[in-house]
């Protein structure tokens, strides 16, 4: 049964259609959860909720398993926009982690092949992929540093989000088509250097290393939100110019 978001005055809940639900604000019978999107429903004590179609972020925030640090929106968005992936693109990534980047990429790319070394992380990600119903994702248990990517991978983009991505760099290049991108997601700058030092010998042109800044603002009164995370990671992009 599909998920619905119940947006109330105070609280928002993620629930499934076809189930009777008990909320802090009262009970909603199963047929009320079958209401079309945008419609208001009332609990047995008269509290109103609007039925809204949840997006990927609603699912991640309220329903899906998060075992690892997930990539931030700003970084995932930049990777997608900067490398120009689209419905005709095949993308590979390691590690899968909780699958947030996997599922973000699955929304825009034709096919996503994701590799993860830890069985428990892979299982959790598999559940997340099934919950979302992303049928263009394949998940595989694999240590890409030792075993590399899959032989037939010939990707437009390969993303490495793991400790010491430089150790998987040559394998990532093997999985990339000429002209395709390899993106290394590095929380610390030493890893950036370690990656870039290996670019040339692997046929990669260093396109750029960037840190994407995001500052959230409180509107009334106008001032920056104190909780804004100042740093997530550096994104180092290489483009395969030589095979
Ligand atoms: C920070 S998480 C990735 C988060 C993910 N990008 C997301 O947005 O949900 C890093 C993952 O890389 C996996 N990993 C580490 N070394 C690996 C390797 N050699 N091959 C495949 N996966 C690896 C870890 O087990 C972990 O699940």
């Amino acid at each position: 049964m599909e998920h619905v978001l119940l947006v109330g005055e105070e609280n928002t809940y993620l629930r499934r259609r076809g189930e009777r639900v008990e909320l802090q604000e009262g009970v909603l019978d199963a047929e009320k959860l079958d209401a079309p999107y945008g419609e208001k429903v009332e609990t047995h004590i008269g509290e109103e909720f609007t039925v809204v179609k949840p997006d990927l972020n609603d699912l991640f925030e309220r329903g899906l398993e998060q075992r690892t640090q997930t990539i931030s929106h700003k970084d995932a968005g930049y990777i997608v926009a900067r490398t120009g992936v689209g419905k005709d693109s095949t993308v590979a990534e390691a590690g899968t982690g909780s699958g947030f980047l996997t599922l973000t990429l699955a929304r825009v790319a034709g096919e996503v092949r994701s590799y993860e070394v830890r069985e428990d992380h892979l299982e959790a990600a598999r559940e997340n992929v099934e919950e979302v119903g992303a049928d263009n994702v394949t998940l595989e248990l694999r240590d890409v540093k030792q075993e590399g990517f899959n032989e037939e991978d010939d990707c437009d983009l390969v993303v490495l989000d793991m400790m010491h991505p430089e150790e998987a760099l040559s394998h990532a290049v093997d999985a990339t088509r000429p002209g395709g991108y390899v993106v290394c997601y590095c929380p610390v700058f030493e890893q950036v250097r370690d990656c870039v030092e290996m670019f040339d010998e692997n046929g990669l042109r260093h396109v750029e290393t960037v840190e994407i800044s995001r500052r959230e603002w409180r509107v009334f009164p106008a001032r920056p939100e104190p909780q804004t995370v100042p740093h997530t990671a550096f994104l180092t992009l290489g483009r395969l110019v030589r095979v």
Side-chain angles (χ1 to χ4, degrees), residues 68-134:
T68 59
Q69 183 74 41
T70 58
I71 201 164
S72 67
H73 296 131
K74 67 183 178 70
D75 295 328
Y78 189 78
I79 292 171
V80 167
R82 184 66 180 85
T83 61
V85 290
K87 284 291 167 211
D88 57 349
S89 308
T90 301
V91 176
E93 59 144 8
T96 314
S98 305
F100 181 70
L101 181 62
T102 319
L103 288 167
T104 301
L105 290 167
R107 299 253 156 159
V108 288
E111 194 183 335
V112 180
R113 301 170 185 173
S114 187
Y115 303 94
E116 170 58 53
V117 71
R118 279 186 54 167
E119 213 161 337
D120 56 338
H121 289 181
L122 194 77
E123 272 324 299
R126 198 181 297 288
E127 280 173 29
N128 288 347
V129 168
E130 279 167 16
E131 282 285 313
V132 171

Side-chain angles (χ1 to χ4, degrees), residues 129-221:
V129 168
E130 279 167 16
E131 282 285 313
V132 171
D135 54 11
N136 58 343
V137 172
T138 52
L139 299 173
E140 198 177 310
L141 188 66
R142 187 181 275 253
D143 179 342
V144 297
K145 292 181 185 174
Q146 299 295 326
E147 304 162 72
F149 287 71
N150 223 313
E151 263 176 28
E152 70 266 21
D153 286 346
D154 188 27
C155 297
D156 302 283
L157 165 66
V158 178
V159 184
L160 298 173
D161 177 8
M162 63 174 73
M163 289 291 283
H164 296 291
E166 75 281 0
E167 291 172 14
L169 194 70
S170 65
H171 295 307
V173 168
D174 288 343
T176 307
R177 69 157 171 83
Y181 288 89
V182 175
V183 175
C184 303
Y185 184 83
C186 304
V188 295
F189 207 82
E190 284 67 22
Q191 289 177 5
V192 172
R193 287 210 185 99
D194 292 341
C195 287
V196 175
E197 272 172 8
M198 295 178 64
F199 271 19
D200 195 43
E201 68 194 72
N202 282 288
L204 289 174
R205 185 170 59 84
H206 182 210
V207 177
E208 61 186 17
T209 292
V210 294
E211 181 188 17
I212 311 298
S213 296
R214 169 186 178 273
R215 185 147 76 140
E216 189 175 347
W217 278 70
R218 198 165 285 184
V219 178
F220 301 109

Side-chain angles (χ1 to χ4, degrees), residues 26-76:
V27 175
L28 280 171
D29 288 328
E31 69 269 16
K32 291 206 172 161
L33 266 77
D34 282 337
Y37 294 129
E39 200 152 285
K40 284 192 172 15
V41 291
E42 264 186 23
T43 66
H44 78 292
I45 53 167
E47 292 286 334
E48 261 188 359
F49 285 89
T50 307
V51 178
V52 170
K53 185 177 166 61
D55 61 26
L56 182 59
N57 294 307
D58 297 318
L59 295 176
F60 253 95
E61 276 164 28
R62 297 168 197 281
L64 301 184
E65 185 84 32
Q66 283 199 41
R67 298 246 174 146
T68 59
Q69 183 74 41
T70 58
I71 201 164
S72 67
H73 296 131
K74 67 183 178 70
D75 295 328

